[in-house]
Every structure is written in structure tokens, then in C-alpha cells.
Amino acid sequence: MVGLSEVRTWRPAALETVFDQLGRHRDTLVGLDDELSDAKAPEGWSGEAADAAGRRHDEISEEMRRLVAGIAAVRRGTAEAADALVAVQQALTEAEELARVNGFQVQDDGVVLDVAPPQVEPSQVETVRRERELVRAEVIERIAQVVRRAADIDADLAAILTAAADDAVDDGDAVSLADAESAGADQGALSTLGPPESDNPAANAGWWNSLSEEEQAQLLQDSPELIGNLDGLPASVRDEANRAQLDGERQRLEAEIADLEAQLDDRFLGGWFTDLDDRLDQAREQLAAVDAIETTLDRGDRQLLLFDLSHEQARAAVAVGDVDTADHVAVLTPGFTTTVQDSLEGYDNQMRDLQRQAEDESLRYGDGGSVATVAWLGYDAPQADLGLLNPKEAVWSPQPAQRGAEDLADFYRGIDASRTEDPHLTALGHSYGSTTTGYALQQETGVDDAVFFGSPGLGTSDVTDLQVPAGSTYVIEARNDFVADLGGTAPFGIDPNQMDGVTGLSAREEQLPDGRRLNESEGHSAYLAPDSTSQYNMSVIVSGNADRAVHDDGRGFGDWLSRPVPGTY
């Protein structure tokens, strides 16, 4: 049974020494190929002795080929095991360092002890406790993946050694010792361990870190669809994997559309009494989604963090900036009627403008840190179609938001898990997307600030249900935003701007202390307009400059109509 104590004491350099020694033995044996061939019975020799000599020569040749094949298999196995062990021990070192800097200690049995809890102000005790539990859970998952990968390496190498010892490495159809070496080496490869079944972001991160660079590169080349959407993997890896699938998906969809169109043309009644029309519409929508994604990526400085055509609606997430290195990361979740094909390019424009504004504010008044923003269209947002008749899919139902919240929470957690140092992470939720965000934040996610705008409700009437630091939940409500005025009437909790503990930010025309004048945002869809007060307020929250925000409770006539009756929530 492989455990941490074994992993800590393993010596990859010893395997490298074995690899070198086996290489010398292999060279010696393969160098005998000509002599072995010359030892055949001379031409013209016949009779029983000649036949016996020939048979014995064949036997010796086969024994030599199998010996060389076995050596080649073990040699390759030791080389790959050495590389794999280096990666595993590095992953262990990173997990232990994450534990150490946060006051935890990893024991040989994998138990993670809290040995140095920080002393904090009473008001911060609960926030710090939640943050530390999230870190501890991440360390545990990373350690589990180290042990899992180590056990896989041990089992693979043991199987190769056993096969060689049992003379079970096949030399194939080799006619020379060089051919036997090639055949044996093919049987000495270690398997590549697949991602954990749990799909936990921290476990995904631990698994990826436990792989050697060669294994990671091979997965990117051979199985991009396996890793592109795994929360917890580096943004650069997800981007490369997801981009690699775009051309293939385009070709598949174009072929599917052509086939469906041909089937419809051949039918006298067209699509009547079949699902051909629906399938064709969906294929065309997915192709349009691929078009929108490629157009967005062509703008440069983008990362494709989610690409999924396996659901009723296409799903995508595109970042502006580098999520792997940014000091501040913001994730926008939009709402009703959002689709990748019709909405991604517009939201990407808004995220580009917000990123630039946030970086400007960071340089002007903050830490000067870099910013990355993400448009996350990663759930089936309610649509203005026949889904309105389905109580499980309609915009007035919490169920689409609750389902989307599970994936959104993992996306947040994955950003932190993919990095050695967590960024300052802000959740942005607009309209029905604010409800999805609210449900997601009722889990531990590592989100530091949350800004809800145009919100019909957060899925709760108690801000303490949101697992974000106290005082870090904000709401923006513009004048004449009829959707936001629905808060308290929809089944999503009271209007956020009437919720104790939520800080109201202005969407009105304002003048800043430094003399800048900002425009008012009015209605439901202008919150991210350039040079608006609401966009400015989001930019200072995203860049970690909450003290620069302009406050306003955003309450208007509609809010007074929808005020909760005492005792109803």
C-alpha cells in the first residue's frame, strides 16, 4: 500500500541510474546482432548435426530477442517512472507548502492538522474560519491525488518488472535484436492516470499537478475534450484544450447540418412527424455559437475556459486577460435570454471595458495589480420561448438558477485551486444571473466580493447565507429597472437593496472627488455602460478599492411597493 511516507522517501535518481545501466546492457546485447547472425550454420552444411545446430541457433536467437525486449520494457518503464515520480514529489511539495503557509501540517498518514491558526479580530473569525476550511479541504484533495498517482505509478512499474521477470515481454515478430528492442519498449510505457471521478476542482488540480510535463502534453494533444472543462486546471491549459476542439466541432456540425437538410429535402412532408426540424435548428444554433466564440477569441488576449456543446444550450466562458496570473479576477454571470451565439460577443465587450477600467483604478488608487474578467455563460439560462410554459425552466422558477449554481460554484473554486496564490476574486451577477450567483455563493467558493445588479433576488433573504466576507456584498439598482423592482415578489428572496448587510452602490449621475463626472445608468441593461457610475463602482470593487465606491441605496417607487411586510421573510 503506497502512502505519503513512501512517496517522501522515493528516489527518482536511483531509477535514472538503473535506466543508464540497462542502456549499457542493451547496447552490449544489440551489438551482438551481427555475431548472432554470423553464427548460423554455414551454407552447404547439411545432415542431422546441421539441423540440430540450426534449431539451437533459432532457440538462442529467440532467447536473446526476448531478453532484449524485456530489458527495453524495463528501461522505458524506469525512465517514465522516474519522470513521473519527480512530478509526484513536486506536487506533494506544493501541497505541503500550501498547508505550511496557511498554518497546517500534513502527516504521513495524510491527515492535515491545524497547527498555527491565526489570531484575528472577533468580527473576522467566521470569515477566516471559512477560508481556512476551504484551504484545508484543498490540501486534503491534493494529497489524495498525490497518493492516487503514486499508487498508479507503483502498480504500472511492478507490472512491467513482473512481466520481464516472467519472460512475458513479447518480442513480436522481430527478426533482429534491434527490432526486439523496439517491440519491448512499446510494452514498457506507463499508463496515464485519468482525472478523478469526483470532478472536485481541488482534486482536479491535484491530479493535473501530479502528472509529468510529458503526460500533460500528451493529454493536451490526444484528449483535449477530457481536460478543457475541468475546473481546477490552469486557465492556459483549458484554453489550449478548448481551442483545439473548435475546428473539429465546426466540421462535425457542418456535416450534421448538411445531412439533416438532405433528409428534409428527401421527405415529401418535410419535417412533419419527425424531430428533424428541431435537430437542424439546434445544430445551426450550435454552429452559430462556435462562430461567436471564434470571433471573440480573434480579438486577442482571450482565454476560452469553457466550451461545451453537450447540453440543450451551448456553454462557454471567455476571459479577458490572464486568469492564471491576474491579481484580481471577476466573473460575470448573465441572465434571462442569454445564449452564447447571441450574447457572448456583447458580454465580452463589456468585460473588456470593465477590465480596462478596473486596471485603471488599480493603478490610480489601488495596488497596481493586473485584472482578468470572465464572461461565464455556463448554464442553461431561461429563454423567451416555450420553456416559459415549463415550471422547471421558466424565468420565474428558481430551478435553472439552482442547477447553474452548482457549476458556477465549481468554476469559482477552480480559479483558486488552479493557482498557488489565490487572486482577489469578485462575483458579478446580473438579472437572473444574480440569482444563479446568489445560490452559488451559498456554498464555500473562495469569492471575496460579490456585486449584484438588476437583481430580482439572491435565492435568500438573509445575507449571512452568502459565504462571502461580511461587508463584501454589494447591490446596484438603476432607476426604472423593472426586473430589480420584482425583488420580493419572485420566489428568490427579498429585494437585495432591502436586505440588511448588503451595501448599496450608486447607478446615478455622480461626480467623483477627483473631478471625474460619471453618467447615470437607467433601466435594466445599461449597468456596464462605459463611463457610467455603475461600471465605475464595479471596477473599484473588482480592483480591491471598495473605499472608492459611490454609495446609494438605489431605492425607488417600485421598491416601496415591494417592501417586505414585517415577519414575511
Side-chain angles (χ1 to χ4, degrees):
M1 184 70 177
V2 177
L4 283 186
S5 58
E6 288 81 9
V7 176
R8 285 171 169 151
T9 58
W10 278 348
R11 294 185 294 125
L15 288 178
E16 293 172 358
T17 299
V18 172
F19 172 79
D20 292 337
Q21 292 173 342
L22 288 172
R24 289 193 290 272
H25 290 309
R26 176 210 57 191
D27 293 342
T28 298
L29 290 172
V30 173
L32 297 174
D33 214 351
D34 290 340
E35 294 181 38
L36 185 64
S37 179
D38 292 342
K40 290 181 180 179
E43 290 187 15
W45 186 23
S46 61
E48 291 184 7
D51 292 342
R55 288 193 298 272
R56 183 56 182 153
H57 182 274
D58 289 343
E59 291 171 356
I60 293 173
S61 297
E62 175 63 15
E63 289 173 4
M64 288 283 286
R65 287 194 294 267
R66 294 186 72 86
L67 178 61
V68 168
I71 289 174
V74 173
R75 185 169 186 267
R76 178 175 179 179
T78 55
E80 293 193 4
D83 291 342
L85 290 184
V86 169
V88 165
Q89 290 184 328
Q90 179 61 35
L92 176 57
T93 297
E94 292 177 2
E96 290 183 317
E97 179 63 12
L98 176 63
R100 186 192 66 78
V101 299
N102 286 280
F104 298 104
Q105 184 182 76
V106 181
Q107 297 187 305
D108 277 348
D109 58 3
V111 173
V112 179
L113 298 179
D114 191 347
V115 295
Q119 300 299 313
V120 298
E121 296 294 328
S123 61
Q124 295 297 311
V125 168
E126 183 59 23
T127 296
V128 171
R129 183 197 65 78
R130 291 200 305 261
E131 291 174 349
R132 287 175 59 74
E133 277 302 306
L134 200 60
V135 171
R136 182 173 181 272
E138 181 177 338
V139 172
I140 290 171
E141 289 290 353
R142 285 177 177 270
I143 293 297
Q145 292 307 310
V146 164
V147 173
R148 175 172 173 257
R149 177 61 177 137
D152 181 66
I153 297 167
D154 184 66
D156 280 355
L157 185 56
I160 295 168
L161 293 173
T162 299
D166 293 344
D167 193 26
V169 179
D170 190 3
D171 64 354
D173 296 323
V175 295
S176 69
L177 296 180
D179 291 342
E181 179 201 1
S182 177
D186 288 343
Q187 299 166 67
L190 268 63
S191 63
T192 298
L193 185 67
E197 293 182 1
S198 67
D199 203 25
N200 178 291
N204 290 338
W207 163 73
W208 183 255
N209 287 347
S210 75
L211 302 178
S212 68
E213 291 183 2
E214 292 76 13
E215 289 172 313
Q216 292 174 349
Q218 198 65 48
L219 277 170
L220 274 171
Q221 177 180 315
D222 296 342
S223 305
E225 74 286 348
L226 182 67
I227 60 179
N229 296 332
L230 284 183
D231 295 310
L233 269 60
S236 59
V237 171
R238 298 180 66 168
D239 178 55
E240 182 178 348
N242 286 325
R243 286 177 188 254
Q245 299 176 69
L246 289 171
D247 285 345
E249 286 300 286
R250 173 179 291 283
Q251 294 171 12
R252 178 186 67 80
L253 289 167
E254 288 175 344
E256 182 179 352
I257 289 169
D259 178 62
L260 290 169
E261 288 176 339
Q263 291 186 56
L264 286 168
D265 288 343
D266 288 342
R267 289 179 58 87
F268 177 72
L269 295 178
W272 285 21
F273 309 113
T274 73
D275 64 350
L276 292 176
D277 283 327
D278 290 341
R279 290 167 55 195
L280 181 58
D281 287 343
Q282 184 175 25
R284 286 171 172 167
E285 288 174 355
Q286 291 186 338
L287 183 58
V290 173
D291 289 338
I293 291 169
E294 291 184 333
T295 298
T296 302
L297 296 178
D298 286 343
R299 294 169 175 170
D301 194 25
R302 301 298 194 273
Q303 292 175 320
L304 182 57
L305 305 182
L306 174 64
F307 175 56
D308 188 353
L309 302 181
S310 66
H311 301 270
E312 182 175 350
Q313 297 179 32
R315 298 181 180 181
V318 176
V320 182
D322 189 344
V323 172
D324 287 332
T325 62
D327 299 292
H328 308 275
V329 177
V331 179
L332 169 69
T333 303
F336 183 47
T337 73
T338 298
T339 65
V340 172
Q341 59 269 26
D342 295 329
S343 312
L344 177 61
E345 293 178 58
Y347 283 119
D348 179 75
N349 284 333
Q350 294 176 347
M351 290 298 95
R352 175 202 59 203
D353 292 343
L354 180 62
Q355 185 229 18
R356 293 173 179 173
Q357 179 70 31
E359 287 197 334
D360 286 346
E361 299 304 325
S362 179
L363 289 170
R364 184 179 281 114
Y365 297 115
D367 59 8
S370 57
V371 177
T373 53
V374 182
W376 187 82
L377 284 66
Y379 74 116
D380 293 339
Q383 301 295 308
D385 56 20
L386 292 178
L388 293 175
L389 303 178
N390 185 341
K392 295 182 180 180
E393 305 295 336
V395 69
W396 47 79
S397 167
Q399 293 188 42
Q402 291 166 339
R403 292 193 297 268
E406 295 301 315
D407 291 331
L408 179 57
D410 277 343
F411 189 79
Y412 294 141
R413 286 189 284 260
I415 291 174
D416 281 353
S418 68
R419 299 178 42 154
T420 55
E421 293 185 4
D422 294 348
H424 167 238
L425 181 58
T426 302
L428 306 174
H430 176 237
S431 191
Y432 191 86
S434 72
T435 307
T436 305
T437 303
Y439 281 120
L441 295 182
Q442 292 175 47
Q443 309 174 44
E444 293 289 355
T445 61
V447 166
D448 301 295
D449 288 292
V451 183
F452 303 97
F453 49 106
S455 176
L458 309 182
T460 180
S461 297
D462 186 347
V463 72
T464 62
D465 288 336
L466 304 183
Q467 304 300 300
V468 295
S472 298
T473 301
Y474 304 89
V475 63
I476 310 176
E477 183 171 325
R479 285 194 306 119
N480 300 323
D481 184 345
F482 71 95
V483 173
D485 286 339
L486 292 175
T489 61
F492 308 135
I494 63 173
D495 192 323
N497 72 358
Q498 298 171 4
M499 192 182 297
D500 291 339
V502 175
T503 302
L505 302 179
S506 178
R508 301 181 187 275
E509 182 179 353
E510 302 281 2
Q511 181 169 347
L512 298 178
D514 60 14
R516 285 181 288 170
R517 296 199 65 86
L518 301 172
N519 302 322
E520 179 177 17
S521 303
E522 187 173 353
H524 186 58
S525 303
Y527 288 94
L528 284 159
D531 301 319
S532 65
T533 303
S534 55
Q535 188 217 41
Y536 164 82
N537 274 325
M538 280 185 254
S539 74
V540 295
I541 300 301
V542 168
S543 60
N545 297 305
D547 59 320
R548 309 292 304 184
V550 182
H551 293 224
D552 180 77
D553 62 16
R555 295 185 184 181
F557 180 70
D559 295 293
W560 293 106
L561 291 178
S562 62
R563 279 189 305 172
V565 176
T568 60
Y569 287 98

